[in-house]
Amino acid sequence: AQKVTQAQTEISVVEKEDVTLDCVYETRDTTYYLFWYKQPPSGELVFLIRRNSFDEQNEISGRYSWNFQKSTSSFNFTITASQVVDSAVYFCALRWAGGGNKLTFGTGTQLKVEL
Amino acid sequence: AAGVIQSPRHLIKEKRETATLKCYPIPRHDTVYWYQQGPGQDPQFLISFYEKMQSDKGSIPDRFSAQQFSDYHSELNMSSLELGDSALYFCASSPRQGLEGTQYFGPGTRLTVL
């Protein structure tokens, strides 16, 4: 079965702390894509990053970094020096070769960054 | 950069009424997707279209139908509305239908059924 698990329901940090959001996925396909989306309180879904199953190179983009490890089926997301504007629900999502067009989302992690 | 446009942004309907949601994809995107997000839940895939043809179908109720028009905009038609249809409805578009096509989401239409 194809599945995305985000075990952390809610995380609270103080501004400037680093925070890592965990994502574990399951798929039998060898070809798949993983995504992270951000949903701020205003409700829109904002695309952050995409990774395919053949590219395990980790990426850093400003304060964001992603750690993709096929050996542990994980695609974790780290925010360094968190800011109040980072407060949002973060969704990890999976799209696999045999799954048609749909994205399968995890249940999301609510991140609250406080002053 | 142009984004996905959805209208209306908010919609209030009574039970058993009908609703039509509209989606205008990013220019030159030929694939459109619809998702439903209930309160406190993750988005659930409903249906997708590629080049005006239905390309995939998810957990879309029979009371719902959708289509993509020649200008690539899409409409989701919902009939016999139920209280449980209250949700945020997202449209997304991608520049290609393949696995690698990133889906860019619109701001959503918040439907409330009373």
Side-chain angles (χ1 to χ4, degrees):
Chain A
Q2 331 294 330
K3 187 179 175 183
V4 177
T5 300
Q6 294 180 254
Q8 304 151 308
T9 304
E10 187 173 318
I11 300 176
S12 289
V13 298
V14 176
E15 202 176 37
K16 296 182 185 174
E17 286 185 351
D18 298 348
V19 58
T20 295
L21 309 182
D22 298 333
C23 172
V24 174
Y25 63 93
E26 296 176 33
T27 178
R28 292 196 192 93
D29 273 293
T30 57
T31 302
Y32 54 89
Y33 278 78
L34 294 163
F35 302 80
W36 276 97
Y37 285 87
K38 172 182 178 180
Q39 187 171 39
S42 50
E44 71 271 26
L45 272 170
V46 179
F47 165 71
L48 295 177
I49 192 171
R50 177 188 79 188
R51 264 289 172 270
N52 73 57
S53 53
F54 302 107
D55 178 8
E56 282 191 80
Q57 183 176 1
N58 294 318
E59 180 169 332
I60 297 174
S61 176
R63 296 186 298 106
Y64 296 167
S65 62
W66 291 269
N67 186 348
F68 177 29
Q69 292 194 347
K70 288 176 72 172
S71 61
T72 55
S73 296
S74 65
F75 185 41
N76 297 337
F77 171 37
T78 297
I79 303 174
T80 57
S82 59
Q83 300 175 2
V84 173
V85 293
D86 296 327
S87 298
V89 179
Y90 291 84
F91 288 98
C92 181
L94 168 70
R95 188 174 179 184
W96 66 97
N101 290 338
K102 64 176 177 285
L103 285 172
T104 292
F105 288 84
T107 50
T109 297
Q110 170 80 60
L111 173 64
K112 293 185 178 178
V113 182
E114 299 165 334
L115 292 171
Chain B
V4 176
I5 297 172
Q6 291 188 245
S7 67
R9 295 291 309 277
H10 301 272
L11 191 59
I12 299 175
K13 291 285 185 179
E14 300 279 342
K15 279 173 55 178
R16 291 181 288 278
E17 285 190 326
T18 61
T20 297
L21 310 185
K22 296 185 178 183
C23 168
Y24 298 86
I26 293 171
R28 291 180 294 283
H29 283 196
D30 53 19
T31 306
V32 169
Y33 315 78
W34 286 96
Y35 289 81
Q36 178 193 57
Q37 185 180 28
Q41 298 180 359
D42 54 287
Q44 297 292 315
F45 173 75
L46 293 177
I47 196 166
S48 64
F49 292 87
Y50 168 66
E51 285 290 345
K52 292 150 281 185
M53 299 286 289
Q54 180 182 309
S55 55
D56 199 2
K57 193 172 179 180
S59 49
I60 184 169
D62 291 341
R63 300 177 289 108
F64 294 6
S65 65
Q67 57 182 323
Q68 186 180 31
F69 295 85
S70 57
D71 63 351
Y72 295 103
H73 94 272
S74 178
E75 294 183 5
L76 177 66
N77 299 292
M78 310 159 71
S79 62
S80 302
L81 287 169
E82 302 174 354
L83 295 178
D85 296 329
S86 294
L88 189 53
Y89 290 84
F90 285 107
C91 172
S93 72
S94 68
R96 60 178 68 86
Q97 185 181 216
L99 195 64
E100 68 276 14
T102 295
Q103 297 179 24
Y104 296 91
F105 285 77
T109 294
R110 188 168 297 280
L111 173 66
T112 302
V113 181
L114 302 175

